[in-house]
Amino acid sequence: MCETCGCPGAKKVDVNKVILAANEAQARINRRHIEAMGAVAINLISSPGSGKTTLLEKTIDMLDGVMKIGVIEGDIETERDAERIRTKGIPAIQLTTSGACHLDAPLVHRGLHELEEQLDGAHLDIIFIENVGNLVCPAAFNLGEHERAVLLSVPEGSDKPAKYPTVFLNSQVFLVTKTDLLPYFPDFSQEEAKKEALRLNPHLKIISLSAVTGLGMDDWMMYLQRIRRKNII
């Protein structure tokens, strides 16, 4: 695990505070940068394999001709997720952390500049930041996003909000993904997952969806359009 998120083996707490304070300052700069681009940003956080990239692909298809999208992909290694997004004709920047378990604001700042270079003057409506697959470390790092979405897929189990409270406490929307697999995971309780999440964060918006069948995707589209309207410059 990385040294900046308070994991075992991390440096002294005061060093972590300095790191987080510097990150917060950069995040405020990022927010102004994103708004200067005319866009709103959504930070997607989840465990690996929860369906973030698949959700983005379906979202791109459904918003074609409605909103202009840019994507910043975060992974420890490889450009595979960014390559998937680029096949949709969407500008995508891959940020590799070389071992760190999260994106931070300085790294995203670099990604914003690279994204602008790809745009060549064109504007965006939404920038999706797909964070490194992890429910712990990314929760501590503001990237300058307008809203934070936490994803939990059906195969992961409905106890995750209770086990990883910080990310649910610090998010604005909770997406229950891969609901098409519910018949194969009878132990997954949407009621439990939602109850635990709302206990932590009563203001959390919850959407259950499947990017494969399309169930719940209209609710996700309505959410994105509302966020765009609320934050439009």
Side-chain angles (χ1 to χ4, degrees), residues 81-134:
D81 286 350
E83 289 169 355
R84 286 173 60 179
I85 299 302
R86 290 174 192 139
T87 63
K88 296 282 186 179
I90 298 297
I93 300 299
Q94 183 73 57
L95 299 176
T96 53
T97 65
S98 300
C101 58
H102 60 87
L103 292 175
D104 61 21
L107 194 56
V108 169
H109 183 69
R110 191 191 84 191
L112 290 171
H113 281 287
E114 293 182 12
L115 189 59
E116 281 188 305
E117 290 178 8
Q118 284 196 16
L119 291 171
D120 193 26
H123 94 284
L124 294 176
D125 295 304
I126 297 181
I127 298 172
F128 289 102
I129 304 170
E130 183 177 342
N131 220 311
V132 177
N134 190 325

Side-chain angles (χ1 to χ4, degrees), residues 154 177-184 209-215:
V154 166
T177 62
K178 301 188 179 182
T179 57
D180 53 295
L181 298 180
L182 280 169
Y184 308 101
L209 54 80
S210 167
V212 173
T213 66
L215 182 66

Side-chain angles (χ1 to χ4, degrees), residues 79-227:
E79 290 222 357
R80 293 178 183 178
D81 286 350
E83 289 169 355
R84 286 173 60 179
I85 299 302
R86 290 174 192 139
T87 63
K88 296 282 186 179
I90 298 297
I93 300 299
Q94 183 73 57
L95 299 176
T96 53
T97 65
S98 300
C101 58
H102 60 87
L103 292 175
D104 61 21
L107 194 56
V108 169
H109 183 69
R110 191 191 84 191
L112 290 171
H113 281 287
E114 293 182 12
L115 189 59
E116 281 188 305
E117 290 178 8
Q118 284 196 16
L119 291 171
D120 193 26
H123 94 284
L124 294 176
D125 295 304
I126 297 181
I127 298 172
F128 289 102
I129 304 170
E130 183 177 342
N131 220 311
V132 177
N134 190 325
L135 282 175
V136 182
C137 305
F141 286 81
N142 182 5
L143 305 179
E145 70 268 24
H146 291 80
E147 301 230 343
R148 181 176 291 188
V150 56
L151 285 69
L152 173 65
S153 67
V154 166
E156 293 175 72
S158 47
D159 60 349
K160 295 304 179 289
K163 287 185 173 182
Y164 303 98
T166 302
V167 69
F168 291 89
L169 183 63
N170 294 337
S171 295
Q172 286 73 45
V173 61
F174 170 26
L175 304 179
V176 181
T177 62
K178 301 188 179 182
T179 57
D180 53 295
L181 298 180
L182 280 169
Y184 308 101
F185 291 87
D187 291 337
F188 185 92
S189 168
Q190 290 199 74
E191 181 180 354
E192 176 192 6
K194 293 175 181 180
K195 180 180 178 180
E196 288 291 344
L198 290 173
R199 178 181 62 82
L200 295 163
N201 183 353
H203 303 292
L204 194 62
K205 180 173 179 56
I206 302 176
I207 303 173
S208 296
L209 54 80
S210 167
V212 173
T213 66
L215 182 66
M217 288 297 296
D218 285 342
D219 292 335
W220 173 234
M221 294 299 105
M222 290 173 60
Y223 164 78
L224 295 176
Q225 291 176 22
R226 185 168 64 253
I227 294 307

Side-chain angles (χ1 to χ4, degrees), residues 1-12 15-16 19 100-102 141:
M1 302 294 281
C2 68
E3 295 181 343
T4 57
C5 57
C7 303
K11 295 183 178 180
K12 294 180 180 180
V15 175
N16 290 332
I19 292 170
C101 58
H102 60 87
F141 286 81

